[in-house]
């Protein structure tokens, strides 16, 4: 993606990976708008980064997403990058009882949130000279962590959705990228300093170094073997499969 001259909306931009990306893009001179629910935290981050803007957004609220998207398009006609980063990661028990309320909130946040926000903005993005949608999945999209089974499933789902989104936008100026982080030391579960977690600064630096050349996915080197698990030929396979069906569509009644 183009790394400068952008107007970038980042959900979950007031903490962790979102804040790291927001501050890095801000330092490069991009106009950055961070979104989230915690107004005081959004304001604190904006104050520390003069010129950065904020917008309150609960990504589980479909009507609010549409309102915020419309408002941003009016306020920032050059908005051309959306980073779908907001997410939650509760533990669950795929071999036991289901916390239904937690499950619904998880799917609404991690899956429907990015899907709804992309849909609300994609018409505008198509009109930009160049645009990028970045979906933040996880390496757990490829290799699930059983103790966070539904979280892993939402990330596998957003990976799958990203493949389709990229295919459907293939003839437009809208590039679709996926960032699939490893365990990064943030407050997603608990910022612990655990030696197995990648320090945030290191993750942001490696991700930013890879973004300019990225055409599909951005993974830090340490987790490339996990990504290879489902098969490295996936993109060619997905494109070939969809090209064949696009050429000879499935008949509908
Ligand atoms: N850290 C890791 O190990 C890791 C690994 C792989 C993938 N990821 C992904 O990276 C993304 C960022 O996570 P993080 O590690 O940076 O943790 P984090 O600091 O907890 O960030 C999560 C962000 O999501 C926002 N958010 C949560 N629910 C929301 C809602 N309903 N509406 C709007 N915003 C909401 C939060 O802001 P508010 O609470 O203010 O709304 C928060 O800023 C997530 O999608 C996560 O799944 C993280």
């Amino acid at each position: 993606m183009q790394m400068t001259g952008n107007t970038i909306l980042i959900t979950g931009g007031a903490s962790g990976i979102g804040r790291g990306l927001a501050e890095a893009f801000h330092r490069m001179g991009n106009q950055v708008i961070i979104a989230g629910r915690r107004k005081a935290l959004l304001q604190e981050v904006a104050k520390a980064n003069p010129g950065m803007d904020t917008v309150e957004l609960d990504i589980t609220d479909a009507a609010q997403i549409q309102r915020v998207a419309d408002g941003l398009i009016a306020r920032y006609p050059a908005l051309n990058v959306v980073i779908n980063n907001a997410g939650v990661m509760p533990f669950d028990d795929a071999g036991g009882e289901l916390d239904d309320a937690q499950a619904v909130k998880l799917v609404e946040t991690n899956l429907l949130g990015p899907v709804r926000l992309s849909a609300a903005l994609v018409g505008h993005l198509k009109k930009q000279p160049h645009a990028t949608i970045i979906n933040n999945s996880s390496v757990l999209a490829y290799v699930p962590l059983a103790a966070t089974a539904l979280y892993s499933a939402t990330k596998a789902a957003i990976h799958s959705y990203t493949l389709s989104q990229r295919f459907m936008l293939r003839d437009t100026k809208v590039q679709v990228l996926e960032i699939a982080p490893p365990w990064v030391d943030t407050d997603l579960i608990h910022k612990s300093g655990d030696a197995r977690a990648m320090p945030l600064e290191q993750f942001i630096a490696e991700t930013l170094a890879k973004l300019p050349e990225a055409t599909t996915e951005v993974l830090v080197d340490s987790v490339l073997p996990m990504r290879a698990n489902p098969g490295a030929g996936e993109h060619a396979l997905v494109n070939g499969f969809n090209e064949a069906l696009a050429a000879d569509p499935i008949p509908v009644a």
Side-chain angles (χ1 to χ4, degrees):
M1 70 175 283
Q2 176 183 299
M3 300 296 279
T4 56
N6 301 300
T7 301
I8 307 174
L9 170 64
I10 306 183
T11 66
S15 68
I17 292 171
R19 179 172 181 169
L21 291 172
E23 291 185 327
F25 277 116
H26 177 75
R27 279 195 297 275
M28 285 182 250
N30 297 282
Q31 174 63 59
V32 174
I33 305 127
I34 54 172
R37 294 166 300 177
R38 288 170 288 176
K39 189 177 180 181
L41 185 60
L42 289 167
Q43 286 172 344
E44 187 187 311
V45 176
K47 199 172 162 201
N49 297 276
M52 192 181 281
D53 202 354
T54 67
V55 63
E56 272 182 83
L57 173 63
D58 181 345
I59 205 70
T60 65
D61 184 333
Q64 203 183 113
I65 289 172
Q66 192 63 56
R67 265 201 316 278
V68 165
D70 292 345
L72 283 174
I73 290 168
R75 209 156 91 220
Y76 290 103
L79 179 71
N80 70 326
V81 178
V82 182
I83 304 182
N84 283 306
N85 166 78
V88 288
M89 186 179 182
F91 285 83
D92 57 18
D93 181 2
E97 287 183 8
L98 177 70
D99 179 338
D100 200 77
Q102 174 180 285
V104 169
K105 189 176 169 201
L106 177 55
V107 173
E108 284 188 341
T109 307
N110 291 11
L111 179 56
L112 278 178
V115 167
R116 285 171 170 154
L117 185 61
S118 292
L121 289 169
V122 74
H124 171 78
L125 296 180
K126 284 179 185 168
K127 294 182 207 149
Q128 301 306 306
H130 49 85
T132 305
I133 296 172
I134 300 179
N135 294 325
N136 186 348
S137 64
S138 167
V139 74
L140 300 181
Y142 315 118
V143 182
L145 175 65
T148 61
L150 191 56
Y151 170 84
S152 302
T154 64
K155 294 301 187 174
I158 208 64
H159 165 67
S160 168
Y161 192 82
T162 304
L163 292 171
S164 297
Q165 196 176 37
R166 184 179 303 122
F167 183 84
M168 297 309 282
L169 291 168
R170 67 196 181 288
D171 294 328
T172 73
K173 299 257 173 61
V174 187
Q175 180 185 40
V176 181
L177 299 178
E178 176 182 358
I179 294 178
W183 180 6
V184 181
D185 198 20
T186 70
D187 281 327
L188 186 63
I189 297 173
H190 169 58
K191 192 172 178 174
S192 60
D194 192 297
R196 293 166 296 176
M198 191 169 188
L200 178 62
E201 300 68 29
Q202 201 181 320
F203 170 75
I204 296 295
E206 194 174 335
T207 299
L208 285 173
K210 292 185 174 202
L211 267 176
E213 301 304 324
T215 54
T216 53
E217 297 168 1
V218 177
L219 280 90
V220 296
D221 290 346
S222 59
V223 289
L224 287 174
M226 284 177 86
R227 172 60 180 115
N229 186 34
E234 184 183 47
H235 301 287
L237 182 73
V238 169
N239 281 336
F241 172 70
N242 283 286
E243 293 287 7
L245 279 170
D248 188 6
I250 296 169
V252 286

